[in-house]
């Protein structure tokens, strides 16, 4: 920590008394009249949303270093930072709408009921949504429910491919716009993997077939193929494998009890077959939704530490700041340096 004492000089000119006393302006701060520098705010934000440190732990760490900062003060800095960075996040959304492919996923978050004290936690379920371009920007949003309103609002203006896990909440946005849905082979694999003890023979065969598809993708990545070459490789190698796999799945009809884990895995795959096979037609399209799953994992780790959001507004602020932190992480940018830089620029250029 550094404590900077800023003393603005005062000047008066006896020959021009009408001008009065002039005081040098104070340096711009992200929070007007606040004690926190841009670097201090960046540290608090990054510690919570990148390093998963709740504010009460940060306050305890600061006290051990001889700096007494109340948890409420840190909470106010988080609130103000989210407000300042909202235009940046809106710019991220507009950029994502121009993408060829978007990944989307959602997870739950606990949110305190209005008026409930933290000592008597009574929380309800809210939802965190992620929209991202692989190796690009990430947008995190919060909604109190899991309905279609969130995707309808966030995907307005998008006309590319949308990689999802099959949740019907995206259907309204897909129907309303010109969005081409994709399905995830990792979710298909997960169904057979979870059911492997019910029918080892069927599940092992399915897992082996899916593994062959992923080996083709690994080869394309290792050879650094461009989209055109990747599409050609998929047509030649993955196309025949998919045809054989579909015929084999269809031939299993009636072998397992309806509603069982194996039957559910088979129905999941066949019910989304066209969406699962679209990636073969375009080398730019992904085989799975693992990019979104990885982002959700980061949010889930943080959720285990800070446990809940204090309100819907608090959850929205968390989504705003996660958007910045996760975009920095994906792009290989140091989020502390970025946050300190952008918050100071906003302070100096408020327009």
């Amino acid at each position: 920590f550094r404590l900077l004492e800023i003393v603005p000089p005062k000047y008066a000119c006896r020959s021009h008394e009408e001008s009065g006393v002039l005081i040098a302006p104070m340096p711009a701060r992200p929070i007007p009249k606040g004690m926190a520098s841009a670097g201090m705010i960046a540290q608090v934000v990054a510690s919570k949303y990148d390093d998963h440190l709740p504010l009460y732990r940060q306050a305890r760490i600061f006290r051990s270093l001889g700096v007494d900062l109340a948890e409420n003060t840190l909470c106010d800095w988080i609130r103000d930072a989210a407000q300042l960075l909202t235009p940046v996040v809106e710019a991220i959304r507009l950029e994502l709408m121009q993408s060829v492919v978007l990944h989307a996923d959602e997870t739950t978050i606990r949110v305190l009921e209005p008026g409930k004290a933290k000592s008597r936690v009574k929380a309800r379920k809210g939802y965190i949504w992620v929209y991202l371009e692989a190796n690009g920007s990430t947008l995190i949003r919060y909604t109190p429910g899991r309905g279609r309103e969130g995707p309808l609002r966030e995907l307005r203006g998008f006309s590319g491919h949308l990689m999802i896990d099959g949740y019907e909440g995206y259907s309204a946005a897909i129907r309303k716009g010109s969005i081409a849905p994709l399905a995830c082979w990792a979710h298909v694999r997960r169904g057979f993997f979870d059911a492997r003890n019910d029918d080892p023979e069927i599940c092992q065969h399915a897992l082996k077939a899916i593994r062959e598809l992923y080996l083709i993708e690994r080869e394309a990545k290792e050879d650094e193929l461009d989209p055109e070459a990747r599409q050609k490789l998929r047509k030649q190698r993955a196309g025949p494998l998919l045809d054989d796999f579909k015929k084999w799945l269809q031939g299993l009809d009636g072998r397992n009890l309806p509603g069982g884990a194996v039957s559910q895995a088979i129905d999941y795959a066949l019910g989304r077959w066209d969406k699962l096979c679209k990636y073969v037609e375009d080398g730019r399209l992904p085989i799975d939704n693992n990019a979104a799953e990885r982002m959700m994992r980061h949010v889930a780790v943080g959720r285990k530490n800070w446990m809940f959001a204090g309100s819907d507004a608090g959850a929205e602020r968390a989504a705003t700041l996660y958007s910045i932190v996760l975009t920095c992480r994906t792009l290989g940018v140091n989020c502390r340096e970025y946050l300190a830089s952008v918050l100071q620029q906003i302070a100096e250029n408020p327009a």
Side-chain angles (χ1 to χ4, degrees), residues 297-308:
R297 192 175 300 122
H298 185 91
V299 175
V301 172
R303 182 180 57 197
K304 289 181 180 180
N305 285 273
W306 40 259
M307 296 178 63
F308 53 80

Side-chain angles (χ1 to χ4, degrees), residues 209-224:
I210 296 170
R211 182 173 182 270
E212 292 296 322
L213 297 176
Y214 273 88
L215 287 174
I216 295 169
E217 295 304 301
R218 180 186 295 179
E219 181 181 330
K221 183 177 181 180
E222 291 176 349
D223 293 343
E224 298 181 351

Side-chain angles (χ1 to χ4, degrees), residues 15-284:
S15 301
H16 300 82
E17 293 183 1
E18 68 278 1
S19 61
V21 176
L22 301 179
I23 304 175
M26 292 288 286
R29 289 293 175 101
I31 302 172
K33 301 182 180 180
M35 74 170 88
S37 65
M40 182 69 227
I41 298 171
Q43 169 66 22
V44 174
V45 171
S47 293
K48 180 171 183 179
Y49 296 106
D50 197 25
D51 302 330
H52 317 300
L53 280 174
L55 297 182
Y56 77 90
R57 288 189 198 166
Q58 293 191 51
R60 186 174 62 196
I61 292 170
F62 296 158
R63 280 195 298 273
S64 72
L65 298 172
V67 177
D68 190 5
L69 289 170
E71 185 180 344
N72 286 341
T73 299
L74 303 183
C75 189
D76 289 343
W77 293 353
I78 290 282
R79 178 199 61 203
D80 293 337
Q83 183 177 354
L84 290 169
L85 292 165
T86 294
V88 181
V89 176
E90 290 303 318
I92 288 175
R93 194 196 79 82
L94 292 176
E95 182 183 79
L96 287 176
M97 293 305 102
Q98 308 304 315
S99 304
V100 175
V101 183
L102 277 186
H103 296 256
D105 200 7
E106 71 286 334
T107 190
T108 58
I109 180 177
R110 295 174 68 214
V111 182
L112 289 186
E113 291 282 5
K116 300 294 182 181
K118 291 183 181 180
S119 59
R120 299 187 300 275
V121 174
K122 183 176 181 182
R124 53 186 168 80
K125 189 183 294 184
Y127 287 86
I128 290 287
W129 305 72
V130 59
Y131 306 90
L132 65 94
E133 182 180 31
N135 304 316
S137 297
T138 299
L139 177 70
I140 305 291
R141 292 301 204 196
Y142 166 77
T143 60
R146 202 188 180 195
R148 63 182 185 177
E149 294 79 10
L152 273 172
R153 180 176 61 252
E154 304 306 337
L155 294 172
R156 66 189 186 278
F158 179 61
S159 59
H161 295 80
L162 183 66
M163 171 61 79
I164 51 178
D165 61 5
Y167 172 53
E168 289 300 317
Y170 300 96
S171 299
I174 291 171
R175 288 194 302 267
K176 189 171 183 179
S178 53
I179 299 173
L182 303 172
C184 171
W185 273 103
H187 279 79
V188 175
R189 183 190 181 279
R190 189 177 304 164
F192 285 106
F193 182 82
D194 292 343
R196 64 192 184 282
N197 293 328
D198 292 3
D199 194 325
E201 181 184 352
I202 286 179
C203 292
Q204 287 174 9
H205 183 93
L207 292 172
K208 182 179 178 182
I210 296 170
R211 182 173 182 270
E212 292 296 322
L213 297 176
Y214 273 88
L215 287 174
I216 295 169
E217 295 304 301
R218 180 186 295 179
E219 181 181 330
K221 183 177 181 180
E222 291 176 349
D223 293 343
E224 298 181 351
L225 299 183
D226 59 28
E228 185 178 350
R230 185 182 293 112
Q231 187 267 344
K232 185 177 180 180
L233 177 67
R234 288 172 172 176
K235 280 282 188 182
Q236 292 175 346
R237 302 265 298 280
L241 288 174
L242 289 167
D243 292 339
D244 293 342
F245 190 30
K246 182 180 181 181
K247 291 176 183 177
W248 177 77
L249 288 172
Q250 291 173 331
L252 297 174
D253 187 32
R255 177 167 170 175
N256 290 275
L257 292 174
V262 178
S263 291
Q264 289 178 4
I266 294 170
D267 293 342
Y268 184 93
L270 292 177
R272 295 164 175 79
W273 193 258
D274 291 342
K275 299 172 187 176
L276 286 166
C277 295
K278 275 186 181 180
Y279 84 98
V280 177
E281 302 169 4
D282 190 333
R284 299 171 298 176

